[in-house]
Amino acid sequence: MTGVQFGELPLLTEYDGVKSCSYSPDGKSFAFGLFCGDIYVYSTSSWERIRTLEGHSNWVMSVAYSPSGGQIASVCADMTLRLWRAETGECTRIIIGHMDLVNDAAYSPQGNLIASASDDGTIRLWDVATGDSHHTLSGHIEPVNGIAYSQKQDQIASSGDDNMVRLWNIITGECIRILSGHSDSVWGVAYSPQGDQLASTSSDKTIRLWDVETGACCHVFIGHDAAIFCVAYSPGGDQVASGCLNGTVRLWDVETGVCLHTLTGHGDTVNNVVYSPKGDQIASCSADKTVRLWDVSGGSLRVDSKGHSQQVCSVKCSPKGDQIASGGMDTTIRLWNAQTGECLKVWRGHADTVSSVMFSPQGDYIATGCADNTVRLWNVESEECLHALTGHSSYVVCVVFSPQGHQVASVSLDKSVRLWNVATGDCSATLNGHTDEVLGVTYSPDGRQIASGSRDCTIRLWDVESGKLHQTLQGHEEFVRSVAYSPQGSQLASGSGDATVRLWDVEEEECHFILIGHSYCVWCVTYSQNGNLLASGSMDKTVRLWDIVTGQCRAVIQNFQEAIRTVDWNTTSDGVYLVTGCDDGSVLKWQVTEEEDVCNVQLQWSATNGTLTMEGASIQDVQGLTHVNKQLLKQRGAVGEPEDLFREASKKVMTMASVVSNLKQSSYKAVQDPSSNADTGSDQPVCM
């Protein structure tokens, strides 16, 4: 399902702009205020509206739940503060006192006081039980835009159009510190959960983090290209979310200041952003009349990095696991941040499809093979092309570095394998023997042997030092597209046009397993770092994970709309991941976890130019869809009515696979006949 924003929940669309929003402390309900003055309350289990609070006559600037969850406070451009009984929606008190519109409100940690900020330049503290004013705090010389209570209870922070953030002692009403640094109006303020840090956002396009004790600015986050109106800490305090005038939401790492994700989709100003109490969801509301909900429990967020505009032919992870390189039919090489999916660099220089990319063992160079018959070596840091290696007389299909990094091997449709000296760019050997186009190549872990796969249906093993043919492995009934050695070097895997994967014992030079499951040609095979799993990608639009000891298929990833031509493993200190490249131009990173006999795969991020189009996809009588999933699918064009979640199980069950199947049939052209795709040696441009 290309372009699906894994992590996205249904879009809540209203008839007016949404100005403010808040989760209840238990996370079971969600309230937001509209430009028209209404407040809607939704159940977070079904995302259906359960209550409407009516009374305000203008923009609801802020809504907040009391710490106990029994009360909702709202402030409005009509200059009032209203208190509502959360369970019934009854308005229990209207508080009047400000002389201009009220912009923000916050409960004290104990819930006995409410602070409000106004365009009249003041902050007022109100007794929740009586509605009496405790303090009026004056000091800002312009409208006060934001207010936040510290968990330490004796302090509040305020932000204003005077470019200042002020910290106040609520017992004495004294301003104890002025935080200056912003060069334009300051809009949002938020304390960290521990109360030792404060975040502020401004029209100067920055977010600042302040040390509450010293008043020092700890970080300045730069990345938004317009005014930033809101900010929120995650419940753990390790992340900050911000919303911008340009409709984007950004997530930041508090410690490093790195932008982790950019969430796109809003068509107008993001007015507020909040984390759910558990930190597993983010909600953002906008003047575009929508509330967008994001599931961040698995880190699965769409990023605004643009993918390749055509087929992705090759992806490879850097030795450290922090970067991913990809090449495609759009003639570019792209470098991605492996953690966030952000596109860091784009290299151009090849004149045709970039069919293969590979990092050097040290990660300082990238080798690329191209349909323009050349191999290029690039310096990762300087982005300079060090060598353009010429010698092949046809399409270069695959390139690999030797384990020592001093040599590159390349294979071509000219039926040859060439070895290149990295330092000089000279061709040190040409290995001839295949009787048809050579499609795949790999070094053994010790660097002494090379395996190559060919359209002649054979795998040939070569001695690197002498360049002599050591052995020819036969068994595949169609072309051999990919070959890979296990990390231990004792096993060789091959993927073929006959839709099988074969596992060969290198020492005995015999096939020990034939892995059957794919329904179309296998384009790529690669071992996990520990050698326990083998991943295979296929023209059947799936990736399969295999147990190399038993030959059993452990998992199948089917969330693709086009063929998978390339996969690679990305192992870091925080987990094991798989990266896939697809014919639709997308690069996706998946987290792979093993628990006893279960192998789980979850999407971490995707970089794609696609969008989910479900126009005409039928969900009629689909059983097992939650209300949330139903909403999301129907918002994207699905038709029909699914069965009730709890309807009797005796009826025929249709699964989400049915939805995917219908989507494929309705949204995309039929796949060409396999026989027409088999001839990849034709003049038609293809990603080899």
Side-chain angles (χ1 to χ4, degrees):
M1 294 189 293
T2 197
V4 175
Q5 296 187 61
F6 290 84
E8 185 184 14
L9 292 168
L11 178 73
L12 307 183
T13 303
E14 305 303 336
Y15 68 91
D16 206 350
V18 188
K19 181 61 179 175
S20 52
C21 58
S22 178
Y23 280 94
S24 62
D26 61 8
K28 294 181 178 180
S29 62
F30 179 79
F32 56 86
L34 302 177
F35 286 4
C36 67
D38 289 344
I39 299 167
Y40 290 167
V41 181
Y42 275 70
S43 164
T44 58
S45 61
S46 64
W47 287 108
E48 290 184 312
R49 193 197 309 175
I50 56 176
R51 202 162 289 113
T52 300
L53 314 183
E54 298 177 320
H56 285 299
S57 60
N58 210 322
W59 288 16
V60 180
M61 305 297 287
S62 177
V63 292
Y65 278 89
S66 64
S68 68
Q71 191 176 72
I72 296 173
S74 60
V75 295
C76 181
D78 63 12
M79 299 187 289
T80 68
L81 185 156
R82 288 178 179 252
L83 303 183
W84 312 80
R85 186 169 286 113
E87 187 175 352
T88 64
E90 176 191 0
C91 180
T92 59
R93 192 176 299 280
I94 301 174
I95 299 175
I96 300 173
H98 283 293
M99 304 303 293
D100 207 332
L101 64 87
V102 190
N103 292 311
D104 201 4
Y107 278 94
S108 64
Q110 290 182 338
N112 60 320
L113 294 176
I114 290 178
S116 59
S118 170
D119 264 14
D120 64 13
T122 69
I123 301 108
R124 288 180 176 254
L125 301 182
W126 309 90
D127 186 291
V128 170
T130 65
D132 294 337
S133 176
H134 270 212
H135 284 297
T136 299
L137 310 180
S138 301
H140 286 286
I141 58 175
E142 297 284 349
V144 185
N145 299 316
I147 195 80
Y149 246 103
S150 169
Q151 288 301 312
K152 296 180 179 179
Q153 301 197 43
D154 61 346
Q155 191 181 97
I156 60 173
S158 60
S159 57
D161 278 355
D162 57 7
N163 307 350
M164 300 297 177
V165 176
R166 288 178 176 258
L167 305 185
W168 307 83
N169 183 307
I170 62 170
I171 298 174
T172 65
E174 177 189 3
C175 178
I176 56 178
R177 184 163 284 114
I178 299 175
L179 310 180
S180 59
H182 285 295
S183 60
D184 208 333
S185 296
V186 186
W187 294 98
V189 285
Y191 279 95
S192 65
Q194 298 76 24
D196 57 344
Q197 197 176 71
L198 185 78
S200 59
T201 65
S202 170
S203 290
D204 66 9
K205 308 175 188 177
T206 70
I207 302 156
R208 288 179 177 258
L209 301 189
W210 310 85
D211 185 295
V212 171
E213 185 68 29
T214 66
C217 182
C218 312
H219 276 300
V220 180
F221 298 166
I222 299 174
H224 284 294
D225 60 6
I228 310 165
F229 290 120
C230 50
V231 64
Y233 275 90
S234 64
D238 56 335
Q239 288 184 5
V240 162
S242 57
C244 184
L245 176 69
N246 67 5
T248 64
V249 175
R250 285 181 179 248
L251 307 186
W252 308 83
D253 185 285
V254 167
E255 185 175 350
T256 65
V258 172
C259 179
L260 303 175
H261 299 285
T262 302
L263 311 182
T264 61
H266 283 299
D268 207 330
T269 301
V270 177
N271 292 315
N272 201 10
V273 60
V274 290
Y275 281 88
S276 64
K278 293 181 180 179
D280 56 345
Q281 288 179 357
I282 291 174
S284 55
C285 63
S286 171
D288 67 3
K289 306 179 183 180
T290 68
V291 176
R292 287 185 176 265
L293 307 166
W294 311 88
D295 184 342
V296 295
S297 57
S300 306
L301 298 169
R302 189 183 77 169
V303 296
D304 69 347
S305 300
K306 294 298 183 182
H308 289 275
S309 59
Q310 297 182 63
Q311 294 175 1
V312 178
C313 302
S314 181
V315 291
K316 281 291 179 277
C317 298
S318 65
K320 293 181 180 179
D322 58 337
Q323 293 179 334
I324 296 167
S326 61
M329 282 189 68
D330 60 7
T331 75
T332 69
I333 304 107
R334 292 173 183 262
L335 190 67
W336 310 86
N337 181 305
Q339 182 182 9
T340 67
E342 179 186 3
C343 185
L344 304 174
K345 298 177 182 178
V346 180
W347 283 291
R348 292 176 173 85
H350 282 297
D352 209 331
T353 296
V354 180
S355 55
S356 182
V357 295
M358 175 63 73
F359 278 96
S360 64
Q362 295 75 33
D364 49 351
Y365 299 114
I366 290 176
T368 56
C370 183
D372 62 11
N373 306 350
T374 69
V375 175
R376 287 179 179 254
L377 300 182
W378 309 81
N379 184 297
V380 173
E381 185 174 353
S382 69
E383 305 181 39
E384 177 187 3
C385 180
L386 304 176
H387 296 294
L389 313 180
T390 59
H392 283 295
S393 60
S394 188
Y395 194 129
V396 178
V397 182
C398 185
V399 294
V400 288
F401 273 95
S402 66
Q404 297 76 25
H406 66 278
Q407 192 177 75
V408 166
S410 60
V411 297
S412 168
L413 301 188
D414 64 10
K415 307 178 187 179
S416 73
V417 181
R418 285 181 176 259
L419 306 184
W420 308 87
N421 185 297
V422 170
T424 65
D426 296 332
C427 180
S428 56
T430 301
L431 314 181
N432 293 308
H434 282 293
T435 60
D436 209 332
E437 299 164 345
V438 190
L439 304 176
V441 65
T442 186
Y443 279 91
S444 61
D446 60 12
R448 296 179 180 178
Q449 197 173 72
I450 283 177
S452 57
S454 169
R455 192 172 290 280
D456 64 13
C457 305
T458 70
I459 302 158
R460 293 179 183 251
L461 308 182
W462 310 83
D463 182 87
V464 172
E465 186 175 355
S466 67
K468 293 182 178 179
L469 179 65
H470 173 70
Q471 182 67 31
T472 301
L473 306 179
Q474 295 178 307
H476 282 295
E477 298 175 358
E478 294 286 348
F479 62 85
V480 180
R481 179 58 182 84
S482 180
V483 286
Y485 278 95
S486 66
Q488 298 77 20
S490 58
Q491 192 178 78
L492 182 73
S494 56
S496 169
D498 61 14
T500 70
V501 177
R502 288 181 177 247
L503 304 184
W504 309 81
D505 186 289
V506 172
E507 186 175 345
E508 297 178 5
E509 299 172 351
E510 293 181 352
C511 178
H512 277 195
F513 282 115
I514 301 176
L515 310 182
I516 299 174
H518 286 295
S519 60
Y520 201 11
C521 56
V522 179
W523 219 251
C524 48
V525 292
T526 181
Y527 284 90
S528 61
Q529 191 174 66
N530 62 13
N532 293 338
L533 292 174
L534 180 81
S536 58
S538 170
M539 296 290 283
D540 66 8
K541 308 175 187 178
T542 70
V543 173
R544 287 179 175 261
L545 304 185
W546 308 87
D547 186 306
I548 62 104
V549 176
T550 65
Q552 296 298 309
C553 181
R554 297 288 306 281
V556 183
I557 309 174
Q558 303 183 76
N559 298 96
F560 303 101
Q561 197 62 54
E562 298 293 338
I564 304 302
R565 295 183 183 266
T566 178
V567 294
D568 196 26
W569 292 91
N570 175 235
T571 303
T572 64
S573 59
D574 66 342
V576 177
Y577 303 90
L578 191 71
V579 181
T580 59
C582 185
D583 273 7
D584 61 15
S586 64
V587 177
L588 294 87
K589 182 181 176 183
W590 310 81
Q591 184 171 27
V592 181
T593 56
E594 294 183 81
E595 300 175 3
E596 297 180 353
D597 295 333
V598 180
C599 185
N600 297 310
V601 182
Q602 182 179 25
L603 187 72
Q604 188 187 37
W605 57 253
S606 63
T608 173
N609 284 324
T611 56
L612 175 60
T613 303
M614 298 203 67
E615 203 67 41
S618 176
I619 57 173
Q620 184 67 36
D621 298 327
V622 170
Q623 195 174 57
L625 280 182
T626 65
H627 181 81
V628 170
N629 289 335
K630 171 188 170 183
Q631 281 183 288
L632 182 56
L633 294 173
K634 296 197 78 169
Q635 284 172 2
R636 298 305 177 87
V639 296
E641 286 298 324
E643 289 192 15
D644 184 82
L645 183 61
F646 301 105
R647 197 170 288 183
E648 60 269 21
S650 60
K651 293 189 176 182
K652 182 179 178 181
V653 176
M654 296 178 66
T655 67
M656 278 299 294
S658 307
V659 179
V660 176
S661 175
N662 290 334
L663 169 60
K664 291 177 180 179
Q665 293 172 18
S666 63
S667 301
Y668 289 84
K669 294 181 180 179
V671 179
Q672 293 179 358
D673 183 79
S675 62
S676 67
N677 286 336
D679 183 15
T680 53
S682 66
D683 292 334
Q684 183 180 359
V686 293
C687 178
M688 299 300 298

